[in-house]
Each structure stands twice: as C-alpha cells, then as structure tokens.
Amino acid sequence: MPEDSSLPNIKIGSDAAKDPDFEGGETEVSTVEYLDYRVVDANDWEIDDDDLFEKAAAADLDEEEYGTMEVSRNRKLLDAAEDNGFDWPFSCRAASCANCTGILVDGELEMEMNLIITDEEVEERGIRLTCQSKPATDHVRVIHNAKHLDYLQDRVIGVREV
C-alpha cells in the first residue's frame, strides 16, 4: 500500500521510529527475544522452565521459531514481527480473539486494549495479545503463537489464509 504524501507522519507497514523521515522524534528500542510455542510443545519443554530460552538458543531452530529483534517501544509486537518478515498468527487485530496470543516470560509489555483474555490470564499466566502489546523494558522474552494452548481454544477464530 503506498504511503499518502499528504500525511507525512503516517508510515504504513514500516517502523516509524526507524524511518529517517519520521518527524515525531526518537523512541527507545527494546530487544525482544521470541520463541514459537509450537517448538516448546514439540520438544515437551515447560513454559515456566527457567532455562527455556537457553534450551531454544542451543537447539537448531530457524529464525521464525526463535531469535531476537529490536522493537521500538511505540511499535506493537505483531507489527514488528511482520516488519522483520515473520508470519505470526493473528486474525482481528482488535483485541477480540486469541489468535495472536503470546506469553510474557520476562520484561514488560504494555497492552493497549484487551477484550478477550481475563485479568487472571494476564496477571498469573502472562498471556498478552501481540497485536496490542508494546515493549516497555529494555529486554523482553515472549513465547508467541500461544493460541494452541488448550484453555484459549474457545477464543481462537478461523484460520487466516495468507
């Protein structure tokens, strides 16, 4: 989609804080270490294992399954993943389904909106919507693609065709 030149501060599909023409000023950047839930499940690893990300780093995983990315603190995780060429799951982008859920393991994510997951799931299980979450600390560890968790299945909607 082409950018509208009459709207100089609107950047479509790019990370505005890294755009040299962005006039909104600089923002802090966080390092987001991510791991695909399907890898955790396939290896019979536990989500609450203190060495989970170390196990992932030692495994022979591809960049889509495990890695790090720099994310501006004004950028949502799902958007940043797409900026990096990753195909993380989502459906609505409106905080109304569980398709984009992730599990916050370390650090902080600020979730702008949430209409589907419970306060208990946020506080006790670390569940976050990646379409609504922005990093708030220097380093964040997140397990993405958590829509496969049994207790989220009633909130996952249709399969998105790519």
Side-chain angles (χ1 to χ4, degrees), residues 18-130:
K18 291 183 181 178
D19 186 331
D21 297 326
F22 180 63
E23 298 172 9
E26 293 295 318
T27 186
E28 293 183 68
V29 175
S30 298
T31 300
V32 175
E33 188 175 5
Y34 59 88
L35 175 61
D36 190 324
Y37 175 78
R38 293 175 298 184
V39 171
V40 175
D41 190 47
N43 287 289
D44 292 322
W45 294 339
E46 298 295 324
I47 292 171
D48 57 359
D49 184 346
D50 290 338
D51 297 329
L52 180 62
F53 281 80
E54 288 73 17
K55 288 177 181 178
D60 187 25
L61 302 175
D62 67 35
E63 190 178 28
E64 181 90 16
E65 296 172 321
Y66 167 76
T68 60
M69 62 181 165
E70 299 297 308
V71 180
S72 296
R73 292 198 185 171
N74 66 354
R75 193 84 175 133
K76 294 175 183 169
L77 286 183
L78 178 60
D79 295 333
E82 289 174 338
D83 291 345
N84 283 279
F86 303 134
D87 188 26
W88 287 13
F90 73 92
S91 189
C92 71
R93 289 189 189 263
S96 297
C97 76
N99 290 43
C100 72
T101 52
I103 303 165
L104 178 64
V105 175
D106 190 36
E108 291 181 32
L109 292 171
E110 292 179 1
M111 197 163 44
E112 290 185 349
M113 188 168 52
N114 169 27
L115 303 173
I116 195 73
I117 55 178
T118 67
D119 290 342
E120 175 188 335
E121 289 168 332
V122 171
E123 294 165 19
E124 295 176 17
R125 295 183 174 180
I127 301 296
R128 300 293 190 278
L129 301 173
T130 63

